Amino acid sequence: MIQTILLTCTLLLSTFAASAADPTYREPFRPQFHFTPATNWMNDPNGMFFYEGEYHLFYQYNPFGDKWGHMSWGHAVSPDMVHWKHLPLALAEENDIMIFSGSAVVDWKNTSGFGKDGKPPLLAIYTGHYTKKPLQNQQIAYSNDRGRTWTKFQGNPVLDINDKDFRDPKVIWHEPTERWVMAVAWPTHKKVRFYSSPNLKDWTHLSDFGPAGSTTGIWECPDLFPLSAKRGDNRWVLIVNVGSGAPAGGSGCQYFVGSFDGTRFSLDPSYPKPQSEFVPQGKLIADFENGYGDWQISGDAFAEAPARGTLANQQEVAGFRGQSLVNTYHRGDQTRGKLTSPEFEITHNHLSFLIGGGHLPGRAGICLLIDGRTVRIATGDNAERLSWKSWNVSEFRGKRARVEIFDQETGGWGHINVDHIVLADQPARPASVPALWADFGPDFYAAVTWSDIPKRDGRRLWLGWMSSWPYAGDVPTSPWRSAMSIPRELTLRQTSEGLRLFQQPVKELEKLRTKKFQKKNATISELNEWLSKEKFSGPMWELELEFDAKSLSKNGGELALHLLRAANQQTILRYNTETSTVSLDRTQSGNTQFHNAFANTFRTQLTKANTSPLRLFIDTSAIEVFGNEGEAVITALVLPKDATEPIQFKAANEKLTIHRFTAWKLKPAVPIFQE
Ligand code: FRU
């Protein structure tokens, strides 16, 4: 990643002019309540701490342009994490050393000796990135004036292992051992290194953690903090941001739950174990290795023999078994048709199959027919890769059935891929990498928590950079680039799967609420009528949706909410009642063209299927979805034109009832300028 960054840096001068425009905070796509710098490039949040009534937010900042480069620490303060005041640059690149990510603390006991007039000094601990040699090491700076000015320590660096990739120190005061502990990333080793210090200047190596969990990408921006599910239950959370391999495709934020004894971090016994793919033996209905066999064909979608893994549009299909698979992309998406199996008896409890291609409920997919009636149906996920899906078919045992693969869609993604249909006693299960993710959207990275939140408050608070390295430099905004997520409170909760990190928007965000709208026990069609009448258009909403997932499941199918709508534009939130899957689809969300990784759908699963409240924060260019009180979160940038059309619900069954739908129109909270 850093290599890419350095390349981008050399391009900096050519894009420099873009920062000349005056910021108005009314520019197209300018978030109205997410933090953005007035002008220029921003990435990771840095050095967040609370002191004398102020939440401090520093951030990776380029003072000279709107692309990554000349990394320095920008600075803002806020009384509530919602309303920000911009302050001058806190730490600037100097002597060919950029100021990379890091943390800051209040040195209450003046262990560093930098205190003045009986007041504790503020210490920033950051990575010095050398631009003329391959080296990164850890350095410190201090402030004696509430963070308004900072002095770099003469004795820098304070920690140097002579490595070109060694960065993002997060320092905490470890109460039990009464010393400072640093968690710092060793990116290419996929490790977090722990060090201790009595005074923030002399550091001793304690231990290393990793590789573990997600190891596809480099490890960056760690954080370590205590967080307990119950009183007296001393757990620790280790945050590791990873450069790639996250569920949404690019960079992301994984976490580990465990214990920290002052020296070593150990994983909790409940941490998920690796699982390999399980393909059940049973009755193979079809694997399409010898063509379509005696399946019946209608239409032109199946005109050619099963594909061998590369579609006519050159896309690779991963995950199929054997040599070939069925796909309906012949010469393009416009082909349509049906492929129907011979009759077979349901002799086992589960029917599993591999499926990929378009997400087209009712338009393209696979279904199970009994007495000519569709009793089960599935579609793809807008991804070519085949993944396992299964139906429990125990209630049909002994009956005669057929499987049908169908494609009636001629537009974008209008094709479906299928392989290996098998009836067996157990469902098939995909291989799983045991990683836990803080966010399932593409745009939540480098998240770290605030230090020194007063004990009487007791919350663990954080936010993340709301962008993603693959396209961050191309997001078409000016004269600024990138925003932070909304601030969130972290808790640890016991779920049926083990201890999990939950995130909820901080209560201070309620200050943004203006008019409240609410409708109880209304059907989808009643809600839609009301939403149109009340003119639920425009950006900036907080929405809350409560429904009984069980009754929803009986009514079958999928519930969808179409947001930020205009002609040919919508961002779609979907809830699948059978799988408890929440997804956010930004494929038609507005400007998606600026990078080929942008138009995509992101999904996550909720464990408690019974009550499924969904909470959403919608700004001019971002959506954050919190499922099940923050058990699962999806953060995604969107770049819509003005949302002129009202929010609308869609469901197969218009009579579906939503228990409670609440909406608040939000007001802006744009930062103000320096004191
Ligand atoms: C993460 C990161 C950090 C580094 C910073 C540089 O996004 O790559 O590892 O300190 O950005 O701007």
Side-chain angles (χ1 to χ4, degrees), residues 64 70-72 89 91-100 126-137 139-140 151-157:
F64 303 109
H70 297 287
M71 296 326 290
S72 302
L89 201 66
L91 288 163
E93 175 193 38
E94 212 178 354
N95 304 329
D96 304 319
I97 303 175
M98 291 200 218
I99 316 293
F100 267 25
Y126 57 89
T127 296
H129 173 88
Y130 292 70
T131 54
K132 297 249 163 90
K133 52 182 165 184
L135 180 65
Q136 295 182 341
N137 55 34
Q139 314 206 353
I140 59 176
T151 309
K152 288 174 188 153
F153 176 47
Q154 290 293 314
N156 278 335

Side-chain angles (χ1 to χ4, degrees), residues 13-28:
L13 289 176
S14 57
T15 54
F16 182 68
S19 66
D22 279 339
T24 59
Y25 277 88
R26 285 171 187 259
E27 305 91 346

Side-chain angles (χ1 to χ4, degrees), residues 504-563:
Q504 281 181 304
V506 298
K507 61 177 189 306
E508 285 87 339
L509 287 159
E510 289 174 14
K511 292 187 187 176
L512 298 172
R513 291 175 178 175
T514 62
K515 193 172 171 192
K516 178 180 175 181
F517 300 81
Q518 193 169 62
K519 196 111 186 133
K520 292 185 190 163
N521 298 320
T523 62
I524 296 296
S525 44
E526 286 166 350
L527 272 170
N528 281 343
E529 210 173 294
W530 176 71
L531 288 165
S532 300
K533 208 172 93 225
E534 293 284 352
K535 300 204 176 47
F536 266 68
S537 54
M540 299 172 66
W541 291 97
E542 179 188 341
L543 306 180
E544 243 173 42
L545 199 59
E546 279 172 46
F547 48 85
D548 179 348
K550 251 195 196 148
S551 77
L552 212 61
S553 174
K554 276 198 206 110
N555 286 300
E558 202 173 63
L559 176 68
L561 195 52
H562 290 228
L563 306 158

Side-chain angles (χ1 to χ4, degrees), residues 68-127:
W68 187 94
H70 297 287
M71 296 326 290
S72 302
W73 279 23
H75 191 194
V77 290
S78 167
D80 56 10
M81 297 171 283
V82 180
H83 298 89
W84 292 97
K85 182 158 65 183
H86 289 300
L87 293 180
L89 201 66
L91 288 163
E93 175 193 38
E94 212 178 354
N95 304 329
D96 304 319
I97 303 175
M98 291 200 218
I99 316 293
F100 267 25
S101 288
S103 50
V105 292
V106 184
D107 181 11
W108 291 107
K109 294 177 198 270
N110 192 22
T111 62
S112 61
F114 293 130
K116 218 169 111 185
D117 306 329
K119 285 216 158 195
L122 308 173
L123 263 291
I125 307 98
Y126 57 89
T127 296

Side-chain angles (χ1 to χ4, degrees), residues 546-553 575 577 609-612 657-659:
E546 279 172 46
F547 48 85
D548 179 348
K550 251 195 196 148
S551 77
L552 212 61
S553 174
Y575 179 79
T577 58
N610 288 344
T611 55
S612 294
T657 303
I658 302 293
H659 279 177

